[in-house]
Amino acid sequence: MDLYGKTIVLTGASGGIGEEAAKQLARAGAQLCLVARREEELQRVRREIEAEGGRASIHACDLADPADLERCADAILAQHPRIDVLVNNAARSIRRPIREALDRVHDYERTMQINYFGALRLTLRLLPRFLEQGSGHVVNISTMSSQVPIPLFSAYLASKSALESFSRSLNAELAHKGVTSTIVYFPMVRTPMSSKTAIYKHMPMMDTAKAAGWIVEAAAKRPARVSSPMGTLGGLAMAALPGVVTRLSQPLFRQMDKQLKRKLQDDRD
Ligand SMILES: NC(=O)c1ccc[n+]([C@@H]2O[C@H](COP(=O)([O-])OP(=O)(O)OC[C@H]3O[C@@H](n4cnc5c(N)ncnc54)[C@H](OP(=O)(O)O)[C@@H]3O)[C@@H](O)[C@H]2O)c1
C-alpha cells in the first residue's frame, strides 16, 4: 500500500524506535498521530517532522490509564475522519529473575497494563472506524524473545505473548472485513529501553533506523509477520522441539550474560 496521505496512529512516538518510525512514515507521506506521555518530546518530534515537510499531530496520553486512553482515542477519532493504520509500539520492559519476583505480581500487572491492555484498548476503540471504512491495519510490536524465550524477562514476554495472541485472533476473525494485523518481532535494538540494562552495552544490536524500516514495511505491505530469519527459524524449532531447544539454548544465554558482565567489568577496571 502506498502510505502517501494515509493516517497512521503511532504509540511510543516520543523516543526510541517509535520516534524514528514516525519520521520514516512521515517521509513516506503519511499523516501521523503521535502518542506518548512526554508532551515536550512529542512536540520536538512533530517539529522535526514538520521541518522536513511532513504532517503530524500530537496526543499526550498515559496508555496505562484507561480514562486517559479513552480521552485520547476520542480526540484522535474526532480529528481524523479516516484512520488507516494503528501501530501499537509503546511498551515497558522489566528484567528480573522469576525467583526475585515472588512478591512482585505488580511487575506482571504493570507490563500487562501498557504492553497488552493499552494496545488492546486503543485497538478496540479504533476498530469500529476500521470496520465502517472496510479497511484498517494494526501493527503490534513484539520481540524475537517470544519466538525463542530468553530468561529474566517473564513479565515482559508474557505481556507481549498476550498481544501476539490477540493479533492472530484479529486476523482470523476480521481479515475478510478488511481489518488485518502484523506482529513485528524485533531483535535487540539500541534504544533507551535496551540501554537500561548496563551489561547490554557490548551486545551487538539493530539500530533504530533499521527497526523503524520494519514498521514502515508492516504498515505498507501488511504481512502477518515481520521477523528476522533467526527469529523465524527459532520459532519453528520451538514449535517442533520446545524441550530440546530450551535445554540447548539456556546454557548459551547464561554464558552470554557472563561474557557481557566480564566486558562491562573490564570497562570499569
Ligand atoms: N529496544 C529493544 O531492544 C526492543 C527489542 C524488542 C522489541 N522492542 C519493542 O519495541 C517497541 C519500542 O521499544 P523502544 O526500545 O523504542 O522503547 P523506548 O525507547 O523505551 O520507548 C518506549 C516508548 O513508549 C512510550 N511509553 C511507555 N510507556 C507509556 C505509557 N504508559 N503511555 C504512553 N506511552 C508510553 C515512551 O514514551 P513516554 O515515556 O513519553 O510515555 C516511548 O515513546 C516496544 O514495544 C518494545 O517492547 C524493543
Side-chain angles (χ1 to χ4, degrees):
M1 182 176 79
D2 184 358
L3 295 177
Y4 190 85
K6 298 289 183 289
T7 300
I8 300 182
V9 179
L10 170 63
T11 71
S14 61
I17 300 167
E19 171 179 348
E20 186 58 33
K23 291 174 180 168
Q24 290 192 18
L25 290 164
R27 277 178 214 131
Q31 159 148 18
L32 273 297
C33 303
L34 309 174
V35 182
R37 288 166 301 182
R38 289 169 299 157
E39 190 162 9
E40 62 291 357
E41 291 304 312
L42 290 176
Q43 281 166 351
R44 176 185 58 76
V45 176
R46 177 174 59 183
R47 273 197 305 277
E48 291 174 18
I49 286 175
E50 287 175 349
E52 289 187 18
R55 286 181 303 160
S57 59
I58 61 170
H59 301 270
C61 170
D62 182 353
L63 294 166
D65 174 345
D68 204 23
L69 187 148
E70 285 296 313
R71 179 199 54 75
C72 174
D74 284 345
I76 290 172
L77 285 163
Q79 274 178 30
H80 300 280
R82 188 180 170 90
I83 298 170
D84 299 284
V85 180
L86 164 65
V87 183
N88 286 313
N89 168 73
R92 72 180 291 169
S93 170
I94 295 178
R95 181 179 188 271
R96 180 166 289 120
I98 295 170
R99 282 184 302 174
E100 288 175 23
L102 301 182
D103 58 352
R104 295 185 62 93
V105 173
H106 55 272
D107 279 2
Y108 297 83
E109 290 169 342
R110 284 175 185 160
T111 49
M112 287 298 276
Q113 208 55 47
I114 170 72
N115 303 356
Y116 179 57
F117 286 112
L120 173 75
R121 280 201 172 91
L122 194 52
T123 305
L124 295 181
R125 288 294 273 108
L126 299 194
L127 198 53
R129 178 67 60 82
F130 290 160
L131 290 169
E132 241 171 69
Q133 296 169 175
S135 101
H137 188 64
V138 184
V139 178
N140 286 318
I141 304 302
S142 192
T143 163
M144 184 175 147
S145 306
S146 71
Q147 294 171 303
V148 185
I150 58 169
L152 306 181
F153 286 90
S154 61
Y156 174 68
L157 294 183
S159 66
K160 290 293 190 184
S161 297
L163 183 61
E164 288 171 22
S165 194
F166 176 73
S167 202
R168 286 188 284 270
S169 295
L170 196 70
N171 272 334
E173 274 185 48
L174 294 173
H176 71 292
K177 298 274 183 201
V179 182
T180 48
S181 173
T182 300
I183 303 170
V184 177
Y185 296 91
F186 282 132
M188 293 295 288
V189 183
R190 186 75 58 199
T191 68
M193 180 184 278
S194 54
S195 304
K196 276 189 204 139
T197 307
I199 61 162
Y200 291 161
K201 184 177 166 199
H202 291 288
M203 185 183 262
M205 291 190 196
M206 184 180 268
D207 61 35
T208 52
K210 184 157 185 199
W214 285 25
I215 293 181
V216 176
E217 181 189 337
K221 298 188 183 156
R222 306 188 167 192
R225 172 181 67 195
V226 179
S227 163
S228 64
M230 204 203 276
T232 304
L233 262 178
L236 284 172
M238 271 302 282
L241 297 165
V244 175
V245 174
T246 307
R247 264 198 306 284
L248 293 178
S249 63
Q250 298 318 298
L252 295 177
F253 286 125
R254 279 197 291 275
Q255 185 59 27
M256 186 181 74
D257 252 32
K258 270 190 201 151
Q259 274 176 6
L260 291 171
K261 274 182 190 149
R262 214 174 297 132
K263 281 189 185 161
L264 194 66
Q265 194 52 47
D266 290 348
D267 280 357
R268 286 172 180 162
D269 292 342

